[in-house]
Amino acid sequence: MYLHLTRITRTLRARAAGSGLSAGATASLWTIINNAPIRVTTLADAESVSAPTMSKIVGDLVDRGYAERVGDPDDARAKLVRPTPAGREVIAGVRLLRTRTLADALETLSPADRRTVDAGLRLLSDAISDRPGPSESNTEQKGITA
């Protein structure tokens, strides 16, 4: 089963590669959009990478105009990251490509098979969501959403 989930994930990433962003940068921008404004250290924890690695990813997103650093109203020394309209647009495009890829694949299945896939994915999603992962308790404490 893991092999099949990995193939699906890789295919979706590959089809959305036209954005010019790496998978890590895309995931980070997605997290920024859903949790903005966010500190780089919190973002690094959410994406399970080191703070220096996340600083490089954020720097690239800023250079591309997809994110911006802003002052933290609670700490004058700190910076927060938030998406720009261009960043929101690129993620919307990635989401559209991934959605189309899934829709096209599902159209090749019979209605009964589509229902089976839907039911199976719901069960798996619920089972995973109900069980904390190794680092989930850390992100839950920080209020991170996927």
Side-chain angles (χ1 to χ4, degrees):
M1 184 182 319
Y2 182 79
L3 173 66
H4 299 299
L5 291 171
T6 300
R7 284 181 55 206
I8 292 167
T9 301
R10 286 184 179 163
T11 299
L12 292 173
R13 284 182 181 166
R15 299 277 166 88
S19 70
L21 292 176
S22 68
T26 302
S28 297
L29 184 53
W30 184 280
T31 301
I32 292 167
I33 288 169
N34 289 297
N35 297 280
I38 186 170
R39 287 184 181 219
V40 171
T41 53
T42 305
L43 182 58
D45 287 345
E47 295 299 320
S48 301
V49 299
S50 69
T53 297
M54 186 52 66
S55 290
K56 289 178 185 175
I57 291 171
V58 168
D60 183 53
L61 292 171
V62 168
D63 290 347
R64 291 172 180 258
Y66 297 150
E68 61 185 356
R69 291 184 178 97
V70 296
D72 184 338
D74 298 329
D75 183 351
R77 300 167 296 162
K79 294 285 185 187
L80 299 172
V81 182
R82 68 180 179 200
T84 63
R88 290 182 185 280
E89 185 176 316
V90 76
I91 289 300
V94 166
R95 182 183 301 161
L96 181 62
L97 285 171
R98 289 178 178 175
T99 301
R100 283 184 184 159
T101 299
L102 286 171
D104 289 349
L106 288 170
E107 283 181 16
T108 68
L109 304 178
S110 70
D113 285 346
R114 283 195 296 272
R115 287 190 296 277
T116 300
V117 169
D118 184 57
L121 288 173
R122 286 174 193 262
L123 289 170
L124 182 59
S125 177
D126 290 347
I128 288 174
S129 298
D130 292 343
R131 308 183 112 214
S135 64
E136 187 174 314
S137 60
N138 189 24
T139 56
E140 280 182 355
Q141 290 171 357
K142 295 179 181 184
I144 303 297
T145 58

